[in-house]
Amino acid sequence: MASTVTSRTARRTSASRRNRRRAAADAGLLLAAAAFVLPLAWVVLSALDPQASLRVKVPDGVTLENFDAILTPEITFTPLLNSLILCGGATLLTVVCAALAAYPLSRFRSRLNRPFLLTILFATSLPITAIMVPVYALFVRVNMIDTMQGTIFFFAASQLPFAIWLMKNFMDGVPKELEEAAWTDGASSFQSLLRIVLPLMGPGVAVVTVFSFVMMWGNFFVPFMLLLSPDQMPASVSINDFFGNRGMVAYGQLAAFSIVYSTPVVLLYVLISRRLGGGFALGGAVKG
């Protein structure tokens, strides 16, 4: 009898501990969710508030005046076009170069593979501010300062190490037997890369594309240093214009611009979300 009571007490104690741990985990998740939701709520509500401030509050009256004020060529359309040119061109260059660099690292074995990959991994940890001074001096010497193509090249070069690392890991998941079958039919290595490897690793290419584009889209420091003409500045730099002198900030217009500025990234993710969730359905590809 005593052992039964002891067992029940132990079970109740254990259940009580599990409930406390679950409650603590739920509270932690709620705090983390609030940390993400509150800034988003401020952006949405302030964009519709004619008297927006730093407080998160329901606007007294909903208005679209903030959007009307920013939807002009000088404030929004030209900077967004510059951002699309810079980030789109650099992302395309990054994905192409990463695929060409990752293919031999994934398919051919060499003593230099591991040192090269470790060097790439080290390059991803370098802060961009540590190399901007020599890069700026180099761009001045080769007359690439204040040029869109020069900024595109540097964007691609800065994202390439991590893109190669990601692309190589995804490429390792494509069975080499598929390429060998293509080689017996007369395909070259470049043709097998284009027609077999890249289509099968579509989710990997999508991940590299989204990651590269997002990292470039939100980059303020690089275009601020390498571009001098106001008509070439991307949206990541022009957003600084909403912060006026003596602490005066147009919060409503800043929030409206932030929503418009975030739209291309959201659309890109939506467009390729099917590829992100597709996975590698290669199980039956090498059978028979």
Side-chain angles (χ1 to χ4, degrees):
M1 187 68 179
S3 61
T4 303
V5 173
T6 303
S7 177
R8 290 177 180 176
T9 304
R11 285 198 298 268
R12 290 174 182 175
T13 303
S14 177
S16 177
R17 290 177 180 175
R18 286 197 300 269
N19 291 334
R20 286 197 298 268
R21 292 173 182 174
R22 188 179 297 111
D26 292 341
L29 290 175
L30 288 175
L31 288 176
F36 285 96
V37 170
L38 287 178
L40 295 177
W42 178 88
V43 169
V44 174
L45 295 176
S46 297
L48 302 174
D49 190 352
Q51 304 295 331
S53 63
L54 282 176
R55 293 175 54 195
V56 180
K57 63 183 180 68
V58 178
D60 298 329
V62 177
T63 180
L64 297 178
E65 293 179 358
N66 294 322
F67 290 96
D68 293 336
I70 67 163
L71 292 178
T72 62
E74 297 80 9
I75 298 177
T76 300
F77 297 134
T78 300
L80 278 180
L81 179 61
N82 294 335
S83 292
L84 289 173
I85 294 174
L86 287 174
C87 300
T91 299
L92 178 62
L93 185 60
T94 299
V95 172
V96 171
C97 293
L100 295 177
Y103 183 73
L105 292 173
S106 175
R107 289 299 184 258
F108 303 105
R109 296 293 177 261
S110 171
R111 294 181 179 178
L112 299 179
N113 279 16
R114 182 175 175 80
F116 184 74
L117 289 172
L118 291 177
T119 303
I120 290 177
L121 185 61
F122 171 75
T124 62
S125 64
L126 289 176
I128 200 71
T129 53
I131 60 175
M132 280 308 300
V133 172
V135 167
Y136 184 87
L138 174 64
F139 272 46
V140 170
R141 284 183 173 271
V142 298
N143 294 323
M144 295 187 70
I145 199 73
D146 196 27
T147 61
M148 297 288 281
Q149 62 268 25
T151 308
I152 288 175
F153 288 149
F154 183 74
F155 261 148
S158 62
Q159 293 299 322
L160 198 54
F162 195 69
I164 294 174
W165 187 272
L166 277 179
M167 194 77 76
K168 191 261 181 188
N169 289 334
F170 282 113
M171 202 170 287
D172 289 342
V174 180
K176 193 175 180 180
E177 290 82 356
L178 299 176
E179 291 182 85
E180 293 174 348
W183 293 339
T184 58
D185 293 335
S188 64
S189 296
F190 185 72
Q191 289 174 330
S192 65
L193 172 64
L194 289 180
R195 299 180 181 180
I196 297 177
V197 178
L198 291 180
L200 289 176
M201 56 173 291
V205 176
V207 168
V208 174
T209 300
V210 171
F211 179 83
S212 301
F213 187 86
V214 170
M215 294 300 293
M216 299 173 192
W217 188 260
N219 194 305
F220 168 84
F221 190 65
V222 170
F224 180 76
M225 291 291 295
L226 300 182
L227 295 174
L228 306 177
S229 303
D231 58 342
Q232 295 192 95
M233 291 297 179
S236 59
V237 178
S238 66
I239 196 174
N240 189 54
D241 296 338
F242 293 100
F243 296 87
N245 296 326
R246 299 179 181 178
M248 299 297 294
V249 182
Y251 290 110
Q253 296 180 20
L254 175 63
F257 185 85
S258 299
I259 292 177
V260 177
Y261 175 54
S262 305
T263 301
V265 176
V266 175
L267 289 178
L268 175 65
Y269 177 78
V270 171
L271 288 175
I272 67 174
S273 59
R274 291 180 300 174
R275 302 293 293 174
L276 286 172
F280 294 99
L282 303 176
V286 296
K287 292 183 179 179

